[in-house]
């Protein structure tokens, strides 16, 4: 049963549902997550208010077809940026929706269907982004794979390798290749997770890759701090996206909430990414925004 509360009100819960991975958003996720809208502070929603914070910037966003990536692409466009998004081949319809949203707000949107597990595909994404946009000022490493497995005995070696091949190796490849073209004032933002900090037991492989992302953010930030390229990350708690419906079991979806009494919507993470991409966060590098609805973690 869908909750009758607004999705920005405490007590809102998504109805239990399951999809095949990687998960589809448009016409499939029920209800559709908030992409362009943010809380109005009274339990309702309002259109995100932009302020030209990314005027003229060019952004490469992985997993930009849905969820946090789609909302970030949309808010970036509202703030004046053009975007190049990657997605998996089976997510064409969602990628088209991102393009529609970005263009609605006056941005250019280029899409590339690509599996980023291979280094050569990460190279291709960076080269195509450069050839279409002429620059990469912002890299948002956002894509990920997860699949719940309760115990280490049932976690296959194949899944362990697949999760690392998907979630961490491409963050290294994409950062390395994109940094060849990045300059002072540019920014990398990584999508980590609360799970790196709380050690979620039923997502062991995923949690380990997110821990590696935390260290990548810090080490890379230290390499580039004096060169003016900032590297930060978001560490979301539960967010209503296709990843959840495609990889979490019924019980986990029933408990999918935060101390605020509801999961986040993608737009509530995207606003943090906008902050980290813009000069509003000029004194932050190697840092984490814990956009998790009030769970205190030691960072
Ligand atoms: N939804 C949550 O509760 C939550 C919580 C914490 C962190 N996150 C993180 O947010 C990020 C975005 O996820 P989302 O929740 O918006 O879900 P999502 O399903 O909308 O996005 C995940 C994307 O990853 C991409 N992807 C998966 N495997 C890939 C591969 N091999 N090659 C290229 N792309 C691939 C897909 O295109 C997919 O769109 C992820 O890094 C995820 O770990 C999500």
């Amino acid at each position: 049963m869908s909750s009758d509360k607004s999705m920005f009100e405490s007590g809102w819960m998504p109805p239990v549902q399951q999809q095949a991975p990687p998960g589809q958003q448009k016409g499939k996720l029920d209800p559709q997550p908030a992409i362009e809208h943010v809380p109005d502070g009274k339990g309702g929603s309002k259109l995100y208010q932009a302020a030209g914070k990314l005027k003229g910037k060019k952004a490469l966003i992985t997993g930009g077809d849905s969820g946090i990536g789609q909302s970030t692409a949309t808010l970036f466009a509202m703030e004046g940026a053009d975007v190049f998004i990657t997605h998996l081949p089976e997510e064409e319809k969602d990628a088209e929706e991102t393009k529609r949203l970005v263009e609605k707000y006056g941005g250019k949107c280029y899409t590339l269907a690509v599996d980023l597990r291979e280094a050569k595909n990460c190279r291709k994404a960076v080269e195509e982004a450069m050839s279409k946009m002429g620059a990469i000022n912002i890299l948002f490493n956002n894509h990920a794979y997860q699949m719940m497995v309760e115990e280490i005995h049932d976690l296959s070696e194949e899944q362990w390798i697949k999760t690392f091949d998907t979630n961490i190796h491409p963050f290294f490849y994409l950062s390395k290749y994109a940094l060849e073209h990045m300059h002072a004032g540019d920014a990398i933002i990584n999508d980590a997770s609360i799970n790196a900090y709380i050690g979620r037991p039923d997502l062991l492989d995923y949690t380990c890759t997110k821990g590696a992302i935390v260290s990548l953010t810090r080490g890379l930030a230290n390499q580039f701090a004096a060169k003016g390229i900032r590297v930060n990350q978001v560490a979301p708690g539960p967010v209503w996206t296709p990843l959840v419906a495609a990889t979490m079991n019924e019980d986990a979806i029933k408990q999918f909430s935060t101390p605020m009494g509801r999961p986040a919507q993608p737009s509530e993470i995207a606003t943090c990414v906008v902050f980290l991409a813009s000069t509003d966060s000029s004194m932050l590098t190697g840092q984490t925004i814990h956009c998790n609805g009030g769970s205190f973690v030691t960072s």
Side-chain angles (χ1 to χ4, degrees):
M1 276 291 287
S2 182
S3 164
D4 56 6
K5 287 184 181 283
S6 144
M7 47 175 53
F8 292 121
E9 250 182 307
S10 184
W12 180 83
M13 285 292 283
V16 172
Q17 59 206 274
Q18 236 97 55
Q19 284 190 31
Q24 314 281 328
Q25 185 169 296
K26 193 163 190 228
K28 300 279 185 197
L29 197 65
D30 171 32
Q32 291 286 288
I35 299 297
E36 302 152 88
H37 291 84
V38 293
D40 64 2
K42 299 175 212 149
S45 67
K46 62 176 187 191
L47 191 66
Y48 173 75
Q49 299 290 297
K53 292 183 178 190
L54 301 176
K55 204 164 185 307
K57 299 289 182 188
K58 315 288 179 192
L60 168 54
I61 300 173
T62 66
D65 55 288
S66 57
I68 297 166
Q70 181 180 77
S71 184
T72 300
T74 306
L75 269 49
F76 275 14
M78 290 166 136
E79 293 287 4
D82 292 331
V83 300
F84 182 101
I85 64 157
T86 71
H87 60 93
L88 287 172
E90 54 268 55
E91 299 167 322
E92 202 72 53
K93 200 170 152 195
D94 283 344
E96 279 168 22
E97 176 62 7
T98 304
K99 188 170 162 61
R100 186 189 72 76
L101 286 164
V102 168
E103 288 173 352
K104 176 175 156 187
Y105 292 107
K108 290 200 181 95
C109 182
Y110 307 96
T111 66
L112 177 67
V114 68
D115 187 326
L116 293 169
R117 282 179 289 175
E118 286 190 55
K120 69 174 175 15
N121 289 345
C122 294
R123 173 65 81 183
K124 183 177 170 189
V126 167
E127 279 176 7
E128 286 207 17
M130 282 302 295
S131 112
K132 297 285 187 203
M133 300 191 295
I136 298 173
N137 305 116
I138 304 158
L139 169 64
F140 182 30
N141 287 315
N142 167 65
H143 71 281
Y145 169 78
Q146 67 172 33
M147 186 56 66
M148 284 185 73
V149 176
E150 299 288 336
E151 290 201 353
I152 193 167
H153 314 294
D154 299 319
L155 178 57
S156 69
E157 288 77 357
E158 289 75 20
Q159 176 169 326
W160 178 267
I161 298 290
K162 177 179 175 176
T163 308
F164 273 75
D165 281 348
T166 308
N167 294 7
I168 180 67
H169 301 147
F171 278 37
F172 161 68
Y173 302 138
L174 289 158
S175 302
K176 180 177 162 79
Y177 306 149
L179 277 162
E180 290 170 11
H181 307 285
M182 295 176 89
H183 306 284
D186 293 344
I188 295 179
I189 300 111
N190 294 325
D191 204 331
S193 167
I194 188 175
N195 293 327
Y197 299 89
I198 62 170
R200 186 166 172 134
D202 50 13
L203 289 170
L204 186 64
D205 46 337
Y206 172 85
T207 294
C208 292
T209 62
K210 294 298 182 179
I213 290 167
V214 173
S215 296
L216 177 71
T217 300
R218 291 174 176 169
L220 205 52
N222 282 335
Q223 275 190 17
F224 282 88
K227 295 179 183 140
I229 300 175
R230 298 178 302 109
V231 186
N232 290 292
Q233 65 184 15
V234 286
V239 191
W240 183 233
T241 71
L243 186 71
V244 175
T247 64
M248 302 193 91
N249 64 31
E250 201 175 308
D251 282 347
I253 296 181
K254 279 184 188 154
Q255 293 160 26
F256 195 69
S257 192
T258 70
M260 289 190 182
R262 63 175 180 86
Q265 293 298 319
S267 61
E268 296 177 285
I269 312 305
T271 51
C272 299
V273 183
V274 168
F275 172 65
L276 292 175
S278 79
T279 51
D280 284 356
S281 59
S282 57
M283 209 51 199
L284 268 62
T285 195
Q287 306 301 321
T288 307
I289 298 188
H290 291 284
C291 32
N292 63 26
S295 297
F296 299 111
V297 292
T298 42
S299 56

